[in-house]
Amino acid sequence: MTTARSDEVARMLPRPLRAVVLVLLLVLVLGPVLYVIFASVSPDLSVAAGHFLPSRFEPANYVHIWSTVDLGEGLVNSLIVAGSVAVLCAFVSLLAAYVLVAFAFKGRLLILRGLLALQSVPGTLLLLPVFVLFSSIGSTLGVTVIGTRWALFLTYLTFGLPFSTWVMVTYLRGLPRELDEAARVDGASSWTVLTRIVLPLSWPGLIVSAIFAFLLGWNDVLFASVMTNPETRTAAVTLQVFGATQEGGALPLYGQLMAAALVCAAPVVALYLIFQRYLMSGLTSGGVK
């Protein structure tokens, strides 16, 4: 099948044209990345002058950002919030998806349609309602919600669970039904089937759900800028504030800004590199004899 697909691609695009297309794609993708990398080790004057390659290397930019930008606290806040949301989203979505796939009950189809409908609601429309809701809860209970990590955690969990649940529903539907039926014949309960059979085979789907939820919390600026204070700012907000303070300056700290951007992107890149093998399907192949 792979050979047939290669032959089909070869008929559509001749070899020289394919080489040109691949080179253009690499330039479009790697060009901005290389520019940020080179700018992060360049003097500010070199970046301001528009030089692609650094006139001299300034690796000290990666040292100065920890005091200039106060990036450490932002990274810790982002890791705590995004990491906890990712873990909880993955396992709650697994439980919800298993119920929606394995059992037939009234309202099941409505719930599935609702999960899809929630994806069409722009998050910007919910910013004010969520803020007012958390403020009202804080005033009623006499506790502080706005400005805490809990506010971000609940917000991202609300937005991440519908998509994560739908991802897991789609994944669990692809698992062989014979595995569940064989376990039922052996007297296994629903909990045993979930923990002993479904969970070990669901790691690719769980990783996808967790990564989506993690990126939702890691990259968000809109809700994090409203729900946090200087002590609970995430890395994205810290980076945005640092970039805003450089506007209009005599010589913005371009090198440190690019270095801070790369440091903020590093955890996401590491996440993909570590879990990329789980993103590939096929763990269930051969599960049914």
Side-chain angles (χ1 to χ4, degrees):
M1 182 174 291
T2 303
T3 305
R5 290 181 179 178
S6 301
D7 295 339
E8 184 178 353
V9 173
R11 288 195 300 269
M12 293 177 60
L13 292 176
R15 186 180 296 273
L17 185 56
R18 273 185 290 163
V20 172
V21 171
L22 289 176
V23 169
L24 290 177
L25 289 176
L26 286 175
V27 170
L28 289 175
V29 174
L30 296 180
V33 176
L34 290 176
Y35 176 75
V36 174
I37 294 175
F38 289 146
S40 67
V41 291
S42 299
D44 298 327
L45 284 174
S46 178
V47 181
H51 298 160
F52 185 80
L53 296 176
S55 57
R56 72 174 189 276
F57 285 97
E58 289 284 350
N61 289 334
Y62 286 92
V63 178
H64 295 155
I65 57 175
W66 303 105
S67 57
T68 305
V69 190
D70 194 18
L71 198 58
E73 189 173 9
L75 288 172
V76 171
N77 290 329
S78 290
L79 287 173
I80 292 175
V81 175
S84 57
V85 169
V87 173
L88 192 59
C89 256
F91 286 100
V92 171
S93 64
L94 174 63
L95 296 175
Y98 179 71
V99 172
L100 291 171
V101 172
F103 302 99
F105 53 91
K106 188 176 181 180
R108 173 177 169 273
L109 186 60
L110 181 62
I111 295 175
L112 291 173
R113 290 174 178 174
L115 292 176
L116 284 178
L118 288 174
Q119 305 306 311
S120 63
V121 180
T124 53
L125 296 180
L126 300 177
L127 177 61
L128 183 59
V130 170
F131 181 83
V132 173
L133 175 63
F134 286 168
S135 298
S136 302
I137 292 176
S139 301
T140 303
L141 301 179
V143 296
T144 302
V145 179
I146 301 297
T148 64
R149 296 192 188 104
W150 278 105
L152 284 181
F153 174 79
L154 294 175
T155 301
Y156 298 150
L157 191 63
T158 302
F159 292 127
L161 270 177
F163 182 82
S164 297
T165 303
W166 185 257
V167 168
M168 291 308 303
V169 166
T170 305
Y171 187 84
L172 294 186
R173 281 176 174 173
L175 295 181
R177 297 288 298 178
E178 289 83 352
L179 295 175
D180 187 293
E181 294 171 358
R184 299 286 184 181
V185 170
D186 291 338
S189 63
S190 298
W191 181 253
T192 302
V193 172
L194 175 63
T195 55
R196 298 292 181 87
I197 298 176
V198 176
L199 179 59
L201 295 175
S202 299
W203 281 110
L206 287 172
I207 295 301
V208 172
S209 300
I211 288 178
F212 169 81
F214 184 87
L215 292 179
L216 178 67
W218 189 268
N219 295 329
D220 174 69
V221 176
L222 181 64
F223 285 90
S225 61
V226 175
M227 300 290 183
T228 59
N229 55 33
E231 288 74 27
T232 57
R233 283 176 181 167
T234 60
V237 178
T238 302
L239 190 61
Q240 182 200 39
V241 172
F242 177 59
T245 57
Q246 300 302 308
E247 296 179 0
L251 182 61
L253 302 176
Y254 290 117
Q256 295 186 37
L257 185 60
M258 298 299 180
L262 286 177
V263 170
C264 290
V268 178
V269 176
L271 193 67
Y272 277 111
L273 293 177
I274 294 172
F275 294 109
Q276 62 178 339
R277 65 190 182 96
Y278 289 103
L279 299 176
M280 301 176 62
S281 59
L283 289 186
T284 59
S285 60
V288 180
K289 301 292 183 181

